Amino acid sequence: MDELNGQPADAGAVRALALANYGHFTTFRVDDGRVRGLALHLERLERDCRAVFGADLDTARVRAYVRHALRERGGDSPLVRVSVFDPGLDIGRPASAGEPHVLVTTRPGAPAGLPPLRVGTVPYVRDLAAVKHVGLFGALHARRRAQLDGYDDALFHGPDGRVTEGPTWNAGFVDGEGRVVLPEGDVLPGVTLELIRRQYACVARPVTVAEARGMRAGFATSTGIGVRALASVDGRPLATDDPVLGALRETYERVPGDPL
């Protein structure tokens, strides 16, 4: 059951989130009561709460709400989404919003061994790219466009022709020399990619659409999928069994979880 401030959430309580779509969130996987990069997720919530609401967020309270929701759920290792929004938001005066509430939702994690993604490049730049906000319409519409064109997902690029990220994941590539290349640009700083970057040598630089198509390998990262290979970019095949991809997966899997 979804919980708002530690209590069962009903439709009326989350009406503002559904109608105004103004807020922010983070998502993480919980395994045996532990979360990879928990401190980074909590820092994101604090940072984004100040950016979106101009308010401080009590992350100890957030952790207590998550623990309570997990006790009520029981069972498997779920994905937990913590959404922060103001139920009293007036869309005519969003500047008055400043009493953030915490909604905790849980769902099953993705199965292991997901197939590589065939991605198509789509022009799109997220609003406030550094904030993990709930405004997903543009990103999901771009994903829909890519899927209607026969791909599994979208890979965004800006007006400058440089690739950035996917709708709900960060992107990376392996060049011809075996280096891990992370596209520079206006992207959401993902926790999974940051955990890998701290352990594995990576190069951050601009990557054009043409360069992305010609890379040796590519990958997507997020809490829900870990490291997932890209099968192709705009129909141009990439190696899905590259040893660097295996090394990246092992690097991420070795990251210890922090207790909730």
Side-chain angles (χ1 to χ4, degrees), residues 31 33-38 253-260:
D31 294 295
R34 305 179 78 91
V35 178
R36 288 187 180 94
L38 177 62
E253 290 168 2
R254 286 197 302 265
V255 175
D258 301 313
L260 269 170

Side-chain angles (χ1 to χ4, degrees), residues 53-200:
F53 294 109
D56 292 327
L57 184 67
D58 184 348
T59 56
R61 182 165 56 96
V62 170
R63 294 173 73 171
Y65 290 157
V66 172
R67 289 193 297 267
H68 185 270
L70 291 176
R71 284 196 299 271
E72 292 298 309
R73 175 190 173 90
D76 58 359
S77 299
L79 285 179
V80 174
R81 170 166 162 161
V82 177
S83 302
V84 181
F85 71 106
D86 184 351
L89 176 73
D90 178 352
I91 61 173
R93 292 190 55 80
S96 64
E99 295 185 18
H101 289 50
V102 178
L103 176 69
V104 177
T105 60
T106 62
R107 57 187 170 91
L114 291 172
L117 285 169
R118 299 169 299 120
V119 299
T121 54
V122 177
Y124 182 69
V125 178
R126 294 190 330 113
D127 294 333
L128 291 177
V131 174
K132 194 173 179 70
H133 55 74
V134 299
L136 296 176
F137 174 84
L140 295 183
H141 188 261
R143 172 175 281 169
R144 181 177 187 273
R145 289 170 57 189
Q147 291 175 347
L148 290 175
D149 286 337
Y151 302 105
D152 299 316
D153 212 339
L155 174 63
F156 299 155
H157 68 82
D160 57 4
R162 296 172 176 176
V163 299
T164 52
E165 60 188 337
T168 54
W169 43 267
N170 286 120
F173 299 93
V174 181
D175 68 11
E177 302 300 320
R179 292 173 298 224
V180 175
V181 179
L182 308 180
E184 280 187 335
D186 291 331
V187 301
L188 179 70
V191 170
T192 300
L193 188 59
E194 175 62 18
L195 292 173
I196 292 171
R197 189 192 65 78
R198 292 182 178 190
Q199 302 293 326
Y200 200 98

Side-chain angles (χ1 to χ4, degrees), residues 174 217-219 227 229-230 239-250:
V174 181
F219 58 93
V227 178
L230 302 184
T240 59
D241 58 353
D242 193 285
V244 175
L245 298 181
L248 291 172
R249 291 191 188 98
E250 292 174 4

Side-chain angles (χ1 to χ4, degrees), residues 40-57:
L40 294 176
H41 284 287
L42 296 176
E43 288 170 10
R44 165 189 280 165
L45 289 173
E46 287 184 294
R47 180 179 64 248
D48 289 355
C49 194
R50 287 191 291 270
V52 174
F53 294 109
D56 292 327
L57 184 67

